[in-house]
Amino acid sequence: MRKLIVSASLVVMLAACHKPAEPGPQASGSPSAASETSAFTVTHVSLPGEGRGDYLLADSEGRRLYVTHGARLHIIDLDTLKPVGEVDGLKYAHGVALDKARGHGFVTDGDLQAVVMFDLSTGKTIKMIPAGKKPDSILFDPASGMIFAFNGDSKDVSVIDPAIGKVVSTIKLPNGPEFSQTDGKGKIWVNLEEGNDIAVIDAKAMKLSGTIPLPGCDGPAPLAFDAANRVLFSGCGNKVMAVTDADSGKVLTTVPIGGGPDGIAFDPGRKRILVANRDGAWTIVTQDAKDKYTVSETLPIDEYAKTVTVDTKTHRAFSSTADLVWPKPAPGQKLLPNAKPGTFRLMVVSEK
């Protein structure tokens, strides 16, 4: 995810052998619902384990939600929001990709420097696949049939053949990659935060095709894709969302958003973009046309609910966070908060 200069140590992992708690909407120290004027409600579902979470992935067809969380990957029923499985044996889970034809999932582990392959039906680990340094974002590309894992520190991509569970190619990048997207037709994009641009990858040839500059966008991290209009949405550190034509590379417009964006999701059924900011509010954007957008709401939500995924069937959005414990400030340093033990929770954003 989006890099910070200095990271405080994580809290000690507790209750590793406890059985998963029975979840249900649960209030915490933060508001469990948005204001009366909001178009949304926000509820909490407690999940076991310590630390904060990272990426989430909603499989709307398979009715599963995958929630990375420290040394765990929670597998949740999308309808009941109850746990149905868990992948453990991880050190620090980040992104998730699915090869549903083979019944396998893949989760990046930044501390193990590996991609962990697991059984979708049982959650059991099948294989640990060595990758580059600090693998983070990951996706399955239908056109090539490959898994692409994006390594932040080694500034490259590990291309994995899911049939054999092995890296078959490595693609060098100009800068460290952040969020990635595929059109399923042979083209992959990934934000390069330090270069203020988007790398374009030929999935079938497994090589870098070029980059798309993002003028006016400082530090792009999260990335979403509108397949119908073929536009990309990049969340930028200078509080704007850049909207880019995926084919021409032209920046069509920018939209004001909140601070510290680290997740973006596009809901095609609602023509809506949800930008997950770190600052305790999401920016809800309506797509009026391919090149025209309106901020419809600034949605109050728990601080550091900074990643987002959407169930395109129900139009519910999901994030995760915990009660934060901030380390002592140090001059000139940006710090990463720890999580208060026992407070990790799934955030559920629903239409009223």
Side-chain angles (χ1 to χ4, degrees):
M1 310 302 289
R2 189 177 175 89
K3 298 178 181 67
L4 294 174
I5 298 174
V6 175
S7 174
S9 60
L10 293 176
V11 294
V12 177
M13 300 297 290
L14 301 175
C17 60
H18 287 186
K19 294 181 180 179
E22 191 74 10
Q26 178 177 325
S28 72
S30 303
S32 60
S35 67
E36 293 182 1
T37 59
S38 174
F40 305 92
T41 59
V42 182
T43 55
H44 301 166
V45 177
S46 296
L47 291 173
E50 307 309 320
R52 295 185 293 104
D54 206 341
Y55 288 87
L56 308 92
L57 176 65
D59 176 11
S60 296
E61 293 180 356
R63 309 309 299 153
R64 290 291 182 264
L65 175 66
Y66 299 86
V67 182
T68 60
H69 173 207
R72 303 172 182 229
L73 170 59
H74 302 282
I75 306 174
I76 310 293
D77 186 299
L78 255 180
D79 297 308
T80 65
L81 300 185
K82 292 185 177 181
V84 295
E86 187 175 295
V87 180
D88 55 16
L90 305 166
K91 280 195 173 181
Y92 206 93
H94 292 285
V96 183
L98 310 178
D99 178 7
K100 294 197 288 184
R102 293 185 175 88
H104 295 158
F106 298 81
V107 54
T108 52
D109 192 311
D111 284 5
L112 292 175
Q113 319 286 12
V115 174
V116 177
M117 179 178 175
F118 64 93
D119 187 285
L120 288 180
S121 60
T122 66
K124 183 179 179 180
T125 295
I126 298 172
K127 190 174 185 179
M128 189 171 295
I129 306 166
K133 295 180 181 179
K134 295 292 181 184
D136 187 28
S137 176
I138 188 171
L139 57 79
F140 172 73
D141 174 66
S144 62
M146 297 292 168
I147 299 289
F148 289 74
F150 297 83
N151 306 304
D153 282 3
S154 54
K155 301 178 182 180
D156 55 21
V157 188
S158 298
V159 184
I160 298 170
D161 184 341
I164 58 176
K166 184 178 179 180
V167 174
V168 294
S169 183
T170 300
I171 305 170
K172 293 299 295 181
L173 297 173
N175 285 292
E178 281 287 338
F179 276 67
S180 56
Q181 293 289 336
T182 177
D183 66 356
K185 300 177 181 179
K187 188 176 284 189
I188 292 173
W189 301 271
V190 60
N191 272 340
L192 303 179
E193 185 178 15
E194 295 173 2
N196 296 335
D197 53 8
I198 301 172
V200 185
I201 294 171
D202 183 325
K204 294 180 181 179
M206 293 185 283
K207 68 178 184 180
L208 179 69
S209 298
T211 58
I212 298 172
L214 295 177
C217 173
D218 180 15
L223 184 69
F225 178 55
D226 170 7
N229 287 303
R230 294 191 63 79
V231 292
L232 295 160
F233 308 102
S234 298
C236 310
N238 56 329
K239 296 186 177 182
V240 298
M241 178 182 74
V243 182
T244 308
D245 186 293
D247 297 313
S248 70
K250 179 183 178 182
V251 175
L252 302 175
T253 188
T254 59
V255 182
I257 59 174
D262 204 32
I264 289 184
F266 177 65
D267 183 348
R270 292 290 189 264
K271 299 293 182 183
R272 183 163 62 210
I273 304 101
L274 302 99
V275 185
N277 307 303
R278 284 186 173 89
D279 60 6
W282 282 10
T283 308
I284 313 298
V285 181
T286 299
Q287 184 185 56
D288 303 309
K290 178 178 178 177
D291 58 354
K292 185 178 180 181
Y293 298 82
T294 304
V295 174
S296 58
E297 182 176 343
T298 299
L299 175 68
I301 199 167
D302 295 18
E303 189 180 9
Y304 258 69
K306 64 184 183 66
T307 53
V308 58
T309 188
V310 170
D311 175 13
T312 55
K313 179 181 177 181
T314 65
H315 306 287
R316 291 194 296 186
F318 301 90
S319 186
S320 67
T321 191
D323 291 350
L324 305 179
V325 179
W326 288 93
K328 185 179 179 180
Q333 296 181 347
K334 292 182 179 180
L335 299 175
L336 184 68
N338 294 322
K340 183 178 178 180
T343 66
F344 181 71
R345 54 192 176 270
L346 181 69
M347 311 292 298
V348 186
V349 179
S350 308
E351 294 175 310
K352 288 183 178 177

